[in-house]
Amino acid sequence: MGAKDKLANRIKYLCKQNHISYYTLSYKAAVPMTTLMHIINCSTKNPGIFTIVKICNGLDITIRDFFDSEEFIDIEYEE
């Protein structure tokens, strides 16, 4: 599984765990819905760290909490 897939799966999991829709996350994070959906469907090449931070804010978690997951232990850079 690639890094983009891991990122998308983590967002999906956290939305499901917190019982919030992508629309709600988009609103709370102040991230355009299209941007969020491009991350979730893995069509964006590089979502950017500040976008991820905003998503974390929308989920009421720290970026450390976001990446503190088994799936990110062996993550590698992809071109």
Side-chain angles (χ1 to χ4, degrees), residues 25-77:
L25 175 58
S26 171
Y27 178 78
K28 289 177 72 176
V31 171
M33 185 67 175
T34 54
T35 301
L36 181 60
M37 293 313 297
H38 285 298
I39 294 169
I40 290 170
N41 68 25
C42 301
S43 65
T44 187
K45 280 190 170 189
N46 183 4
I49 189 67
F50 293 110
T51 302
I52 301 304
V53 168
K54 290 171 81 174
I55 290 170
C56 290
N57 290 340
L59 291 165
D60 294 322
I61 61 172
T62 65
I63 195 160
R64 181 181 189 137
D65 291 335
F66 183 87
F67 287 108
D68 188 19
S69 175
E70 280 291 316
E71 60 200 331
F72 294 111
I73 290 175
D74 296 335
I75 198 165
E76 293 184 17
Y77 175 74

Side-chain angles (χ1 to χ4, degrees), residues 5-24:
D5 295 310
K6 290 179 181 185
L7 186 66
N9 288 342
R10 184 69 171 152
I11 293 169
K12 291 174 191 176
Y13 170 79
L14 291 168
C15 282
K16 188 172 184 177
Q17 183 182 31
N18 292 302
H19 307 289
I20 63 170
S21 67
Y22 299 143
Y23 177 81
T24 301

